[in-house]
Every structure is written in C-alpha cells, then in structure tokens.
Amino acid sequence: MHDSNNNDTNGEQEKEGHRPQPVVAKVCGVGTVEAAEAAVLADADIIGMIFAPSPRLVDMETAKAIAQTVESKKKATDALSTVVEASEQTPLALPIDAEDLDAAEYFTECANRVLQRRRAAGRPLLAGVFQNQTAEHIAQVAREVPLDLVQLHGTEAPEMARLIPVPVIKVFHVDGSFSVDASAGAGGDMLKRRCHSLILLDTKVAGTAQQGGRGVSFDWNIARKLADRGIPFLMAGGLTPENVVQAMDVGRPWGVDVSSGIETSRVKDPAKIRAFVENAKRPAATPPCFQE
C-alpha cells in the first residue's frame, strides 16, 4: 500500500510551485451508459472500458451503446473541430519520425496528438483495456466499438502495439522491485518508440493475475523519477477524489487514471466521478473539492 509519509514534496517541487498542466483525467472501468454519461458531464478526457477478464468486464453490445452515447454528447469545440475528419483518417501517433527525437520529445509529441484529438472530437476519447489477448481480437474490438485508444494492461511486448489500428497505452506495473532507471534505460521496454504512444504506471498487486482496479497505490515518488526525465505518463493505482491532488503534486503525471476510487458499493458514483475530475483539472493553487 502507498505510504503518504514517503510523498512529502521536496525542495525542487516547492521551488517550481506548480505541476504540469493540463492534467488529463481518465475514468476507467465504465460498464454502463449511465456511468459514461456521468463521465462526459464531468468533462473526463478518456473513458476506459474493460474487455479483459474482470468484475468490470463489458460486453460488446454495451460497449457499442456507450460509444454511441458518448458520440451523441459531443460538443462544438474551437477551430480544431474543423479537422476532426482529417485527424480520424490519420493515426494519432504513427508514424512519428523517431530518429530526430529523443524519448522525451517523442512521447511528448504522442501525448500532444492525443490531446489534439480530444479537443477536435469534442467528447472524451474511448479506450479499451485488454490483458494478454491476441492482437487480432483487440483490433477487431477496436474497429467494431469503435475505440480511439487501446490499453495493454498485461505482459504484452511493446511491439504488439504496431499490430493495433489505434494508439496504445502500455501499462508498466510498479512494485517494490520496479526501477524507472531500468525500465526507461537502454534495454528497457518503457521508452521504445514506434510502439506504444502513452505510458501508464499502475500498482502491481501480488497474488492475482488480474491487475488494475484494485484500489492499491504505489509510492508516487517513483513516478516523479519518470516526470523528471521529461516523459509524459498516466498514473493509476488507488487514486480517489481525496488523494488525487497530492498524487499529482508528488508524481507530476501528464494524466491520472481512476476506477475503484470513484465507486460506491462497486458501482460508479456520479458525484465521485465529478469530484475526481474537478480535482484532477483544478490548478495547483486552488483547494480541492471533496464530496461526501
């Protein structure tokens, strides 16, 4: 479990005085039209649906209904709305010429393309979460729903992302043996280019094959090491409306990802969804909003 005593802000954080903006809010484990509507109303940036074995597994009929509902809620945006059609015909992050970009530049460009699509679409992007399933199955689901993003939440090789028709979020599970230096260094998988477009750090829970949505945090100072490299990433694991502000101040993620932390009796709670997204997007100097 996460020890908040290990997450005191250091002198550098205090000197900088703010965390990266904007922060992307991802609401995951959405399994009903009602929960999707609540996420849209809360102004979530990404809505995640689970297509791997999980208590939150969503069937195809429901996933398509969620996609249709989210699309119907799209709103007019700024001038970017005029390029929606063109952006839909071009992969968000492929190809990006990697030869002239270092890792920070490459993944920042990938993240910026996701943000551009979010603004152009006028609605939250839809992500499908898979775990150790075939690329053929994932691609079929991505086309049929349809999905904007795919999240690989298992032990898949990063190169698998090249077989998937939409940009990929790749999870890296954090436990006591996890090392940012090893994962992001030469020979590590985290910063491989022309594979995944976004990086997700989530807690590795011992004793279960099912990862994610377990409500367990990791030491956010580990995430900060990746932020210090200039790499944008999503951060998950035990986040709630009450602790997301502290998590962002310590870890400095590009985005935050929540599932169990916005549930009441294992059901997505609209008030908690709203509070989480509000707190995630709130400027650092503004006190957070907490819901009963």
Side-chain angles (χ1 to χ4, degrees):
M1 291 290 289
H2 169 71
D3 182 358
S4 61
N5 291 329
N6 292 332
N7 282 337
D8 293 336
T9 54
N10 59 28
E12 181 181 353
Q13 286 173 295
E14 293 173 353
K15 181 179 179 180
E16 291 176 1
H18 62 84
R19 56 180 177 266
Q21 294 289 338
V23 174
V24 169
K26 178 172 177 282
V27 173
C28 203
V30 170
T32 66
V33 167
E34 292 75 18
E37 289 177 331
V40 172
L41 289 173
D43 199 27
D45 297 296
I46 303 174
I47 293 174
M49 296 180 284
I50 310 298
F51 295 93
S54 165
R56 301 179 181 90
L57 174 68
V58 65
D59 59 66
M60 285 296 292
E61 181 179 354
T62 302
K64 290 178 181 179
I66 289 171
Q68 291 169 1
T69 297
V70 172
E71 181 66 22
S72 73
K73 303 292 183 181
K74 70 187 301 180
K75 53 189 176 183
T77 57
D78 55 22
L80 283 171
S81 63
T82 63
V83 299
V84 173
E85 183 177 354
S87 67
E88 286 177 348
Q89 296 172 354
T90 305
L92 286 174
L94 295 174
I96 292 176
D97 292 332
E99 290 78 4
D100 298 328
L101 300 179
D102 63 25
E105 293 169 334
Y106 178 81
F107 283 100
T108 296
E109 175 65 16
C110 290
N112 286 341
R113 292 190 183 196
V114 171
L115 286 175
Q116 181 179 12
R117 169 63 73 83
R118 163 68 173 104
R119 293 192 296 268
R123 58 164 176 80
L125 301 180
L126 293 173
V129 181
F130 301 85
Q131 184 172 327
N132 299 329
Q133 291 154 281
T134 68
E136 293 79 9
H137 171 71
I138 295 170
Q140 181 179 359
V141 173
R143 293 187 181 101
E144 288 185 9
V145 173
L147 300 172
D148 300 294
L149 303 164
V150 157
Q151 180 173 315
L152 298 179
H153 210 79
T155 57
E156 305 90 352
E159 290 80 4
M160 184 179 181
R162 298 171 183 165
L163 305 176
I164 296 170
V166 297
V168 167
I169 304 166
K170 182 70 181 86
V171 71
F172 292 86
H173 293 114
V174 180
D175 61 9
S177 65
F178 181 83
S179 166
V180 168
D181 290 337
S183 297
D189 286 340
M190 184 179 288
L191 301 185
K192 284 187 176 179
R193 283 163 252 186
R194 291 181 175 161
C195 295
H196 49 280
S197 299
L198 296 173
I199 294 162
L200 169 64
L201 299 183
D202 196 3
T203 310
K204 182 176 182 179
V205 181
T208 178
Q210 179 199 328
Q211 298 293 324
R214 313 291 287 192
V216 180
S217 301
F218 63 87
D219 183 351
W220 300 321
N221 287 296
I222 295 173
R224 177 60 186 268
K225 293 179 181 179
L226 188 59
D228 286 345
R229 289 172 171 258
I231 307 295
F233 61 93
L234 289 155
M235 188 167 74
L239 297 180
T240 68
E242 293 78 13
N243 70 12
V244 67
V245 171
Q246 183 188 10
M248 293 187 300
D249 285 342
V250 176
R252 301 295 180 90
W254 172 82
V256 286
D257 186 340
V258 66
S259 183
S260 63
I262 49 172
E263 293 178 348
T264 298
S265 300
R266 299 188 177 181
V267 176
K268 289 292 185 287
D269 185 322
K272 291 182 179 180
I273 292 173
R274 183 173 62 253
F276 182 89
V277 175
E278 286 182 2
N279 288 345
K281 293 175 177 285
R282 193 177 299 272
T286 305
C289 168
F290 297 131
Q291 297 288 334
E292 293 292 338

PDB file of all heavy atoms in Angstrom, residues 120-135:
ATOM      1  N   ALA A 120     -10.430  18.049 -30.706  1.00  0.00           N
ATOM      2  CA  ALA A 120     -11.106  18.022 -32.001  1.00  0.00           C
ATOM      3  C   ALA A 120     -12.382  17.200 -31.962  1.00  0.00           C
ATOM      4  O   ALA A 120     -13.379  17.543 -32.600  1.00  0.00           O
ATOM      5  CB  ALA A 120     -10.159  17.465 -33.070  1.00  0.00           C
ATOM      6  N   ALA A 121     -12.375  16.119 -31.189  1.00  0.00           N
ATOM      7  CA  ALA A 121     -13.535  15.235 -31.135  1.00  0.00           C
ATOM      8  C   ALA A 121     -14.704  15.864 -30.400  1.00  0.00           C
ATOM      9  O   ALA A 121     -15.864  15.524 -30.642  1.00  0.00           O
ATOM     10  CB  ALA A 121     -13.159  13.906 -30.485  1.00  0.00           C
ATOM     11  N   GLY A 122     -14.424  16.766 -29.466  1.00  0.00           N
ATOM     12  CA  GLY A 122     -15.499  17.376 -28.691  1.00  0.00           C
ATOM     13  C   GLY A 122     -16.170  16.423 -27.735  1.00  0.00           C
ATOM     14  O   GLY A 122     -17.313  16.641 -27.312  1.00  0.00           O
ATOM     15  N   ARG A 123     -15.479  15.380 -27.358  1.00  0.00           N
ATOM     16  CA  ARG A 123     -16.007  14.364 -26.441  1.00  0.00           C
ATOM     17  C   ARG A 123     -14.825  13.626 -25.832  1.00  0.00           C
ATOM     18  O   ARG A 123     -13.707  13.689 -26.352  1.00  0.00           O
ATOM     19  CB  ARG A 123     -16.887  13.362 -27.193  1.00  0.00           C
ATOM     20  CG  ARG A 123     -16.155  12.660 -28.328  1.00  0.00           C
ATOM     21  CD  ARG A 123     -16.856  11.413 -28.821  1.00  0.00           C
ATOM     22  NE  ARG A 123     -16.190  10.809 -29.958  1.00  0.00           N
ATOM     23  CZ  ARG A 123     -15.110  10.037 -29.892  1.00  0.00           C
ATOM     24  NH1 ARG A 123     -14.551   9.787 -28.720  1.00  0.00           N
ATOM     25  NH2 ARG A 123     -14.584   9.519 -30.984  1.00  0.00           N
ATOM     26  N   PRO A 124     -15.045  12.872 -24.748  1.00  0.00           N
ATOM     27  CA  PRO A 124     -13.961  12.028 -24.230  1.00  0.00           C
ATOM     28  C   PRO A 124     -13.555  10.971 -25.248  1.00  0.00           C
ATOM     29  O   PRO A 124     -14.391  10.466 -26.001  1.00  0.00           O
ATOM     30  CB  PRO A 124     -14.573  11.385 -22.982  1.00  0.00           C
ATOM     31  CG  PRO A 124     -15.705  12.275 -22.599  1.00  0.00           C
ATOM     32  CD  PRO A 124     -16.244  12.819 -23.891  1.00  0.00           C
ATOM     33  N   LEU A 125     -12.287  10.650 -25.265  1.00  0.00           N
ATOM     34  CA  LEU A 125     -11.814   9.542 -26.088  1.00  0.00           C
ATOM     35  C   LEU A 125     -12.166   8.227 -25.413  1.00  0.00           C
ATOM     36  O   LEU A 125     -12.214   8.134 -24.186  1.00  0.00           O
ATOM     37  CB  LEU A 125     -10.301   9.644 -26.292  1.00  0.00           C
ATOM     38  CG  LEU A 125      -9.793  10.922 -26.960  1.00  0.00           C
ATOM     39  CD1 LEU A 125      -8.279  10.881 -27.094  1.00  0.00           C
ATOM     40  CD2 LEU A 125     -10.454  11.142 -28.311  1.00  0.00           C
ATOM     41  N   LEU A 126     -12.412   7.199 -26.210  1.00  0.00           N
ATOM     42  CA  LEU A 126     -12.787   5.887 -25.690  1.00  0.00           C
ATOM     43  C   LEU A 126     -11.592   4.940 -25.768  1.00  0.00           C
ATOM     44  O   LEU A 126     -11.006   4.750 -26.843  1.00  0.00           O
ATOM     45  CB  LEU A 126     -13.953   5.310 -26.494  1.00  0.00           C
ATOM     46  CG  LEU A 126     -15.281   6.055 -26.350  1.00  0.00           C
ATOM     47  CD1 LEU A 126     -16.306   5.497 -27.326  1.00  0.00           C
ATOM     48  CD2 LEU A 126     -15.801   5.972 -24.920  1.00  0.00           C
ATOM     49  N   ALA A 127     -11.245   4.365 -24.625  1.00  0.00           N
ATOM     50  CA  ALA A 127     -10.133   3.424 -24.546  1.00  0.00           C
ATOM     51  C   ALA A 127     -10.652   2.052 -24.149  1.00  0.00           C
ATOM     52  O   ALA A 127     -11.486   1.932 -23.246  1.00  0.00           O
ATOM     53  CB  ALA A 127      -9.095   3.899 -23.535  1.00  0.00           C
ATOM     54  N   GLY A 128     -10.148   1.038 -24.804  1.00  0.00           N
ATOM     55  CA  GLY A 128     -10.467  -0.332 -24.439  1.00  0.00           C
ATOM     56  C   GLY A 128      -9.282  -0.965 -23.732  1.00  0.00           C
ATOM     57  O   GLY A 128      -8.144  -0.872 -24.209  1.00  0.00           O
ATOM     58  N   VAL A 129      -9.536  -1.601 -22.594  1.00  0.00           N
ATOM     59  CA  VAL A 129      -8.477  -2.202 -21.786  1.00  0.00           C
ATOM     60  C   VAL A 129      -8.450  -3.704 -22.025  1.00  0.00           C
ATOM     61  O   VAL A 129      -9.472  -4.391 -21.874  1.00  0.00           O
ATOM     62  CB  VAL A 129      -8.679  -1.902 -20.295  1.00  0.00           C
ATOM     63  CG1 VAL A 129      -7.561  -2.519 -19.456  1.00  0.00           C
ATOM     64  CG2 VAL A 129      -8.753  -0.391 -20.062  1.00  0.00           C
ATOM     65  N   PHE A 130      -7.277  -4.201 -22.393  1.00  0.00           N
ATOM     66  CA  PHE A 130      -7.083  -5.624 -22.692  1.00  0.00           C
ATOM     67  C   PHE A 130      -5.888  -6.131 -21.890  1.00  0.00           C
ATOM     68  O   PHE A 130      -5.011  -5.353 -21.504  1.00  0.00           O
ATOM     69  CB  PHE A 130      -6.826  -5.831 -24.183  1.00  0.00           C
ATOM     70  CG  PHE A 130      -7.947  -5.342 -25.073  1.00  0.00           C
ATOM     71  CD1 PHE A 130      -8.011  -4.010 -25.453  1.00  0.00           C
ATOM     72  CD2 PHE A 130      -8.936  -6.208 -25.516  1.00  0.00           C
ATOM     73  CE1 PHE A 130      -9.046  -3.541 -26.272  1.00  0.00           C
ATOM     74  CE2 PHE A 130      -9.969  -5.755 -26.325  1.00  0.00           C
ATOM     75  CZ  PHE A 130     -10.020  -4.418 -26.702  1.00  0.00           C
ATOM     76  N   GLN A 131      -5.875  -7.435 -21.657  1.00  0.00           N
ATOM     77  CA  GLN A 131      -4.775  -8.016 -20.901  1.00  0.00           C
ATOM     78  C   GLN A 131      -4.407  -9.371 -21.490  1.00  0.00           C
ATOM     79  O   GLN A 131      -5.161 -10.345 -21.396  1.00  0.00           O
ATOM     80  CB  GLN A 131      -5.150  -8.169 -19.424  1.00  0.00           C
ATOM     81  CG  GLN A 131      -4.008  -8.688 -18.552  1.00  0.00           C
ATOM     82  CD  GLN A 131      -4.347  -8.641 -17.067  1.00  0.00           C
ATOM     83  OE1 GLN A 131      -5.059  -7.758 -16.616  1.00  0.00           O
ATOM     84  NE2 GLN A 131      -3.836  -9.605 -16.311  1.00  0.00           N
ATOM     85  N   ASN A 132      -3.248  -9.412 -22.142  1.00  0.00           N
ATOM     86  CA  ASN A 132      -2.695 -10.652 -22.700  1.00  0.00           C
ATOM     87  C   ASN A 132      -3.674 -11.349 -23.647  1.00  0.00           C
ATOM     88  O   ASN A 132      -3.849 -12.573 -23.597  1.00  0.00           O
ATOM     89  CB  ASN A 132      -2.267 -11.592 -21.575  1.00  0.00           C
ATOM     90  CG  ASN A 132      -1.185 -10.981 -20.699  1.00  0.00           C
ATOM     91  OD1 ASN A 132      -0.363 -10.190 -21.166  1.00  0.00           O
ATOM     92  ND2 ASN A 132      -1.184 -11.326 -19.425  1.00  0.00           N
ATOM     93  N   GLN A 133      -4.298 -10.561 -24.510  1.00  0.00           N
ATOM     94  CA  GLN A 133      -5.184 -11.086 -25.555  1.00  0.00           C
ATOM     95  C   GLN A 133      -4.526 -10.891 -26.912  1.00  0.00           C
ATOM     96  O   GLN A 133      -3.544 -10.160 -27.032  1.00  0.00           O
ATOM     97  CB  GLN A 133      -6.547 -10.380 -25.459  1.00  0.00           C
ATOM     98  CG  GLN A 133      -7.324 -10.759 -24.197  1.00  0.00           C
ATOM     99  CD  GLN A 133      -8.306  -9.693 -23.730  1.00  0.00           C
ATOM    100  OE1 GLN A 133      -7.923  -8.699 -23.105  1.00  0.00           O
ATOM    101  NE2 GLN A 133      -9.587  -9.882 -24.028  1.00  0.00           N
ATOM    102  N   THR A 134      -5.035 -11.549 -27.931  1.00  0.00           N
ATOM    103  CA  THR A 134      -4.366 -11.503 -29.224  1.00  0.00           C
ATOM    104  C   THR A 134      -4.564 -10.155 -29.903  1.00  0.00           C
ATOM    105  O   THR A 134      -5.581  -9.480 -29.715  1.00  0.00           O
ATOM    106  CB  THR A 134      -4.892 -12.604 -30.160  1.00  0.00           C
ATOM    107  OG1 THR A 134      -6.261 -12.322 -30.508  1.00  0.00           O
ATOM    108  CG2 THR A 134      -4.795 -13.978 -29.496  1.00  0.00           C
ATOM    109  N   ALA A 135      -3.590  -9.800 -30.715  1.00  0.00           N
ATOM    110  CA  ALA A 135      -3.687  -8.543 -31.468  1.00  0.00           C
ATOM    111  C   ALA A 135      -4.876  -8.569 -32.415  1.00  0.00           C
ATOM    112  O   ALA A 135      -5.534  -7.543 -32.624  1.00  0.00           O
ATOM    113  CB  ALA A 135      -2.392  -8.302 -32.235  1.00  0.00           C
TER     114      ALA A 135
END
